[in-house]
Amino acid sequence: METVASYFGSMVFNDEAMRERLPKDVYKALKQTIREGKDLDLNVANSVANAMKNWAIEKGATHFTHWFQPLTGMTAEKHDAFITPLDGGKVILDFSGKELIKGEPDASSFPSGGLRATFEARGYTAWDPTSYAFIKEDTLCIPTAFCSYSGEVLDKKTPLLRSMEAISEEAVKILSLFGKTDVKRVITTVGAEQEYFLIDADDYRKRKDLRLTGRTLFGARSPKGQEKDDHYFGALRTRVAEFMADLDKELWKLGIPAKTRHNEVAPCQHELAPVFSVSNVAVDHNQIMMELMKKIAPKHGLACLLHEKPFEGVNGSGKHNNWSISTDTGINLLEPGDNPKDNAQFLLFLSAVIKAVDEYQDLLRISVASAGNDHRLGANEAPPAIVSIFLGDELADILESIASGKSLSGRKKGKMTLGVHVLPDIPKDTTDRNRTSPMAFTGNKFEFRMPGSSFSMAGPNIGLNTMVAKALKEFYGVLKDADDFGKAVTELVASNYREHKRIVFNGNAYAPEWVEEAEERGLLNLQSSPDAFDQYTAPKNIALFGEFGIYNAKELESRCEIHHEEYSKTIHIEALTMLDIAVKRIIPAASKYASDLAAGINQMKAAINMVSPIADEDILRKVISLTNELYGSTNVLGEVISEAEKLSGSLQSHYYREEVLPKMEDVRRFADNLELIVAKDYWPLPTYSDMLFYV
Ligand code: ADP
Ligand code: MG
């Protein structure tokens, strides 16, 4: 039997393949380039390209592509065949170092937020050798970064790599103060738990709203939803189990360590979590994972929905971004240590996260903002739009006692200092998990729970890495010349906690009381995406990204513009789809039902000569009245769409949010009420019960 070990990573040009196929000196040179993040020498590149090509061709590849992540949040690829024609009608299969390092896609059709006019559309892609090349179907995919010729960044990978550099540099400096001079690099790690829905492919095909917008724009609630909690961790349907097995196998071939799979809370909802890896690799892997989910589902007669809220009334889907930092010597910096010094170090890094999250709440909020995610955040199934940190009572007590200089109640006596003598005994395993916190400390990592299921994980991690880099940099400034280092660390941890503890909240973040309390604490509550995007270019954010060379002001402004635009386009498409379905499908169906009812009523009356009203008459009246109201609401929606089209930028996205969305809700309400009384045979769309409880 074919074992997992035998095919795991078989479609990846990974370290093993490189060592096997590259001349020793080339392999060494490449590894050094990767380690130090230098430019690749062209001779080395030629040799690598040749080995990679031969490897890929042996595996059946015919094409190659620079696989990159434009600002759409998806991945993009343009395939080129390896062939070079020869005289006499023959071809050779060719792939040069130049082609490996650089590609030149036509960048004109990707969103750039006004960074380039289309006539100067050429951008280039550059290989990210820290993320291995892989084969997808018949194509060798080379993970790359994407820039314009004038040097502006046009993708999500470049800033991510820069943010990883930034935090590494600052963390290494801090570690040197702790005497850890052997650490040359610090790595951010990410494990992304992916939620998704699977429904029957036939139902999917029949729902134009799902096909065009990813979510159902209509649909009365199913009599049964998720109230019985009978889906979470339940046994898998055969078809779903087969899909998951197929998916795991394809992921494993690509070296993606898919690990945990289970049913989620909502009917038809599932989750897949891989073992964590270095951030940029984890982000690439998550993109591939989403792509494969969509591709493999139809092979099993299913459709995979990655939208944050495909169905009203049951939970939506998120993506938990588990995040930590570790050294190249293998130490997780967010794991409590075994001795006082390591604990002091742990508390310092923890303090940096607390400070960063408090000072840049807005950035984290922005990094998870989208039209889709607006349906989740704050809807009692996902964290609120307010950013806060869960530490657990024990850890919060420790920090509190350090901050107040008072002794720790209960378990630990004596004044807390982080010097060599008295050390806080830090619990290694904070088992009291809080599932309502947006940013939960889970023992050796933070779980950032706000991102939406369809998100690229690049955005949230760019924000996290950069803001923590900033906090570490400030800490270094305070500590570097301290006479008594141990004392200085204690004081810093103490004052930092006093200053930023408002961001720490260990209670139930879904509770309405928290919204009030958060407001008293002065925490931000950016309820909608347009509200959040408006903060993107706040002076402090421009300063932050500028300081670490992640984005310049112009790039940040362009990204802000793209976010507003993307939001407006999403609602625009939803609204038009809604009109289309209401006017062309639902109203005709309801009218047909009404006229059939009327005819039937007349027949019945004639047959038995009855004068008093019958049930059908009552239904007929309701159908006619709701159909009229529905029609009226579509006209109103049409009007606000026309108004929205005249606007642009932030004004436009706010208009969509504040004026168009409520009108869409009206249309939906009338249609859903109709669905409840129109006979099943007449209804033109698969219903919620059909979709959520298929067999
Ligand atoms: P839960 O559902 O309780 O949140 P899971 O086991 O489903 O937990 O997911 C935890 C995720 O966190 C996994 O993807 C795991 O690999 C990841 N993870 C574990 N340690 C780290 C770390 N040091 N850095 C980043 N991610 C981590
Ligand atoms: Mg989780």
Side-chain angles (χ1 to χ4, degrees):
M1 217 190 80
E2 204 184 16
T3 64
V4 177
S6 71
Y7 60 79
F8 189 87
S10 62
M11 296 311 238
V12 189
F13 196 63
N14 54 19
D15 194 58
E16 192 189 323
M18 288 185 202
R19 199 167 342 157
E20 210 176 276
R21 288 168 178 266
L22 294 174
K24 255 209 180 93
D25 53 328
V26 172
Y27 173 76
K28 260 180 136 173
L30 179 62
K31 289 296 278 188
Q32 192 174 348
T33 309
I34 293 173
R35 227 181 4 254
E36 292 166 11
K38 283 191 190 143
D39 279 344
L40 201 59
D41 175 88
L42 194 59
N43 287 328
V44 175
N46 276 327
S47 181
V48 176
N50 195 48
M52 205 187 263
K53 177 200 70 183
N54 290 338
W55 169 84
I57 290 170
E58 280 168 36
K59 301 264 178 197
T62 53
H63 289 67
F64 69 91
T65 183
H66 284 249
W67 185 77
F68 62 101
Q69 301 177 21
L71 299 174
T72 55
M74 260 99 65
T75 54
E77 44 194 79
K78 177 189 109 193
H79 298 181
D80 282 307
F82 287 120
I83 57 163
T84 303
L86 294 180
D87 286 346
K90 296 232 182 245
V91 292
I92 53 164
L93 300 182
D94 206 16
F95 183 51
S96 70
K98 262 202 195 123
E99 286 172 303
L100 167 64
I101 308 177
K102 243 183 201 182
E104 298 192 26
D106 177 0
S108 60
S109 297
F110 292 106
S112 70
L115 276 184
R116 288 155 308 114
T118 36
F119 60 82
E120 45 173 358
R122 294 193 82 72
Y124 67 91
T125 52
W127 183 31
D128 163 20
T130 59
S131 182
Y132 298 131
F134 58 93
I135 297 173
K136 201 159 51 89
E137 280 149 8
D138 57 2
T139 302
L140 170 68
C141 297
I142 302 155
T144 47
F146 181 34
C147 300
S148 76
Y149 267 112
S150 42
E152 283 123 354
V153 175
L154 299 175
D155 71 348
K156 291 184 177 253
K157 170 157 253 179
T158 312
L160 176 64
L161 293 172
R162 287 178 182 171
S163 74
M164 291 165 66
E165 268 326 300
I167 191 172
S168 172
E169 198 171 306
E170 300 309 326
V172 166
K173 286 196 299 196
I174 293 276
L175 289 169
S176 73
L177 297 177
F178 280 93
K180 303 240 164 62
T181 48
D182 55 330
V183 176
K184 297 280 175 277
R185 239 183 132 96
V186 162
I187 297 145
T188 46
T189 48
V190 166
E193 299 164 60
Q194 176 74 47
E195 290 181 340
Y196 60 98
F197 279 82
L198 287 176
I199 61 166
D200 193 277
D202 274 341
D203 290 337
Y204 178 76
R205 266 192 292 276
K206 289 179 194 148
R207 299 266 335 196
K208 196 174 198 173
D209 47 2
L210 279 179
R211 281 187 285 119
L212 297 191
T213 73
R215 72 179 181 107
T216 52
L217 300 169
F218 298 101
R221 305 221 170 152
S222 161
K224 176 174 160 52
Q226 64 188 41
E227 51 284 283
K228 288 178 76 185
D229 286 328
D230 48 0
H231 193 253
Y232 192 56
F233 283 19
L236 301 173
R237 288 181 170 96
T238 315
R239 233 192 316 162
V240 169
E242 282 165 7
F243 160 84
M244 286 180 174
D246 206 1
L247 175 64
D248 277 346
K249 186 164 179 186
E250 292 308 313
L251 291 171
W252 290 335
K253 281 192 210 162
L254 292 172
I256 299 175
K259 172 114 178 144
T260 313
R261 57 189 196 196
H262 59 78
N263 282 349
E264 261 298 329
V265 176
C268 289
Q269 193 185 29
H270 314 280
E271 179 184 299
L272 177 59
V275 178
F276 69 95
S277 45
V278 181
S279 320
N280 63 321
V281 173
V283 170
D284 285 358
H285 281 176
N286 182 253
Q287 294 290 143
I288 302 174
M289 192 187 276
M290 289 194 286
E291 190 182 321
L292 285 182
M293 283 175 167
K294 291 222 147 217
K295 256 191 196 152
I296 291 173
K299 294 183 185 160
H300 299 271
L302 298 165
C304 173
L305 311 178
L306 291 173
H307 193 281
E308 282 72 25
K309 192 78 178 175
F311 304 101
E312 225 176 64
V314 297
N315 277 10
S317 300
K319 180 146 51 195
H320 296 171
N321 187 79
N322 293 275
W323 178 92
S324 192
I325 19 180
S326 61
T327 66
D328 56 357
T329 52
I331 304 162
N332 182 343
L333 295 168
L334 290 178
E335 184 158 315
D338 290 325
N339 56 65
K341 211 166 171 191
D342 282 354
N343 270 340
Q345 183 187 301
F346 159 71
L347 285 174
L348 192 65
F349 278 96
L350 186 74
S351 299
V353 179
I354 294 172
K355 174 179 166 71
V357 173
D358 187 30
E359 288 179 348
Y360 295 99
Q361 298 161 41
D362 52 345
L363 277 188
L364 281 183
R365 173 67 185 90
I366 295 160
S367 77
V368 298
S370 78
N373 217 18
D374 276 0
H375 298 288
R376 277 179 75 236
L377 298 179
N380 277 315
E381 54 170 81
I386 305 160
V387 175
S388 67
I389 288 182
F390 167 85
L391 289 179
D393 289 337
E394 278 180 301
L395 203 48
D397 278 354
I398 288 169
L399 283 166
E400 187 61 51
S401 81
I402 294 169
S404 61
K406 292 203 190 93
S407 42
L408 201 55
S409 54
R411 199 169 43 86
K412 258 283 172 187
K413 297 270 188 291
K415 189 169 176 250
M416 285 299 126
T417 68
L418 291 175
V420 187
H421 303 299
V422 196
L423 66 141
D425 185 7
I426 295 170
K428 282 231 163 184
D429 182 20
T430 39
T431 38
D432 49 341
R433 294 289 307 272
N434 177 318
R435 296 199 171 262
T436 65
S437 175
M439 182 85 175
F441 182 69
T442 53
N444 58 3
K445 62 184 185 297
F446 275 94
E447 183 175 8
F448 182 38
R449 304 172 66 254
M450 293 171 93
S453 49
S454 67
F455 273 62
S456 154
M457 294 317 288
N461 286 291
I462 294 166
L464 265 173
N465 295 345
T466 311
M467 61 205 220
V468 175
K470 168 78 178 167
L472 291 171
K473 187 174 177 181
E474 285 186 28
F475 284 1
Y476 181 75
V478 174
L479 296 174
K480 68 178 194 303
D481 298 320
D483 295 330
D484 182 341
F485 180 65
K487 193 162 156 248
V489 172
T490 309
E491 279 170 12
L492 184 55
V493 169
S495 65
N496 186 74
Y497 195 69
R498 284 195 296 270
E499 203 176 322
H500 297 294
K501 72 176 180 185
R502 66 172 185 168
I503 197 75
V504 175
F505 178 61
N506 289 329
N508 177 8
Y510 291 3
E513 299 86 79
W514 168 232
V515 177
E516 275 168 48
E517 189 184 332
E519 195 181 332
E520 276 163 31
R521 291 185 185 199
L523 298 181
L524 276 179
N525 186 359
L526 298 169
Q527 288 195 358
S528 77
S529 293
D531 290 344
F533 299 144
D534 286 340
Q535 303 299 315
Y536 207 15
T537 47
K540 74 180 228 306
N541 296 337
I542 295 183
L544 173 77
F545 286 123
E547 181 175 349
F548 292 93
I550 313 291
Y551 302 123
N552 58 35
K554 223 168 100 194
E555 286 168 336
L556 206 59
E557 274 155 23
S558 79
R559 264 155 223 258
C560 180
E561 196 177 306
I562 290 171
H563 282 313
H564 279 299
E565 215 173 83
E566 162 82 19
Y567 179 90
S568 296
K569 281 184 187 161
T570 303
I571 309 285
H572 187 68
I573 294 169
E574 287 182 352
L576 291 182
T577 307
M578 196 160 207
L579 284 185
D580 184 87
I581 295 175
V583 175
K584 296 210 221 122
R585 305 288 309 273
I586 296 178
I587 292 176
S591 297
K592 174 84 172 82
Y593 180 51
S595 74
D596 286 359
L597 274 178
I601 290 166
N602 282 339
Q603 276 175 18
M604 282 191 275
K605 283 187 173 171
I608 56 168
N609 204 6
M610 200 171 81
V611 281
S612 57
I614 50 177
D616 282 9
E617 276 184 22
D618 189 36
I619 296 177
L620 174 60
R621 265 189 215 99
K622 282 187 186 151
V623 172
I624 292 174
S625 132
L626 277 172
T627 308
N628 285 339
E629 283 176 304
L630 172 60
Y631 182 64
S633 70
T634 59
N635 286 334
V636 177
L637 178 57
E639 281 160 25
V640 286
I641 296 173
S642 303
E643 285 306 307
E645 283 168 344
K646 297 177 191 155
L647 304 169
S648 67
S650 168
L651 273 181
Q652 189 182 40
S653 68
H654 278 282
Y655 190 86
Y656 273 107
R657 163 85 191 180
E658 284 130 35
E659 305 297 332
V660 179
L661 269 184
K663 301 292 180 286
M664 289 169 62
E665 276 159 28
D666 290 342
V667 174
R668 175 167 190 157
R669 205 178 50 247
F670 294 128
D672 289 358
N673 283 336
L674 264 177
E675 186 193 323
L676 293 174
I677 54 171
V678 170
K680 171 92 180 152
D681 291 346
Y682 289 76
W683 198 251
L685 305 169
T687 65
Y688 270 31
S689 322
D690 295 335
M691 290 185 284
L692 293 172
F693 297 94
Y694 70 93
V695 275

